[in-house]
Amino acid sequence: MLKSHVLDDLYRHSSNVAHGVEVPAGARLLFTNGQVGTKLDGTTPESTAEQAEVVFDRVKAVLAAARMGLSDIVRLTVFLTDQNDVPIFVKARDHVMGTHKPGAIILVVKGLARPELKIEIEAIAAKVDG
């Protein structure tokens, strides 16, 4: 089981993330590639909120392929193309993650691989089988 560290003596994040996440010995690790908001049919929704929903569905699918779930995520690296979309992402992340607090970094970048993409997320997950 992952152990989240949320420290009272550090500035508290404004959303549901930890200052650090400890991975137990013997855990399997999973590193996803960047997941984007493009659906299976090749379409990409226009809004960041809809793209975030697709991204999290894709992350869940990759986790499931490794017999993991959202609660196994250690860290998210998030790329957004618009600073104004940070609250939109945070709302989506907090909804999807529930009480689980992974580590996270949010980067605002000039662009992603395709101009219609507004968000990309990579995840690191860990799980001890047993």
Side-chain angles (χ1 to χ4, degrees), residues 20-115:
V21 179
E22 189 174 339
V23 176
R28 293 184 295 114
L29 295 176
L30 173 71
F31 298 81
T32 74
N33 70 335
Q35 298 298 314
V36 297
T38 301
K39 297 178 180 181
L40 185 59
D41 66 6
T43 62
T44 303
E46 285 190 34
S47 79
T48 302
E50 289 176 291
Q51 285 190 31
E53 184 178 318
V54 173
V55 168
F56 278 114
D57 286 344
R58 291 172 58 124
V59 168
K60 286 189 268 188
V62 175
L63 290 166
R67 297 180 331 273
M68 295 182 181
L70 292 171
S71 63
D72 298 310
I73 293 176
V74 175
R75 178 179 164 158
L76 296 172
T77 302
V78 181
F79 302 91
L80 294 168
T81 59
D82 186 338
Q83 178 76 40
N84 295 319
D85 288 339
V86 171
I88 293 167
F89 162 73
V90 167
K91 182 179 178 181
R93 180 198 57 209
D94 290 354
H95 173 74
V96 169
M97 298 308 261
T99 60
H100 179 57
K101 295 179 178 350
I105 185 169
I106 300 173
L107 302 165
V108 179
V109 298
K110 184 176 179 179
L112 295 168
R114 297 192 319 268

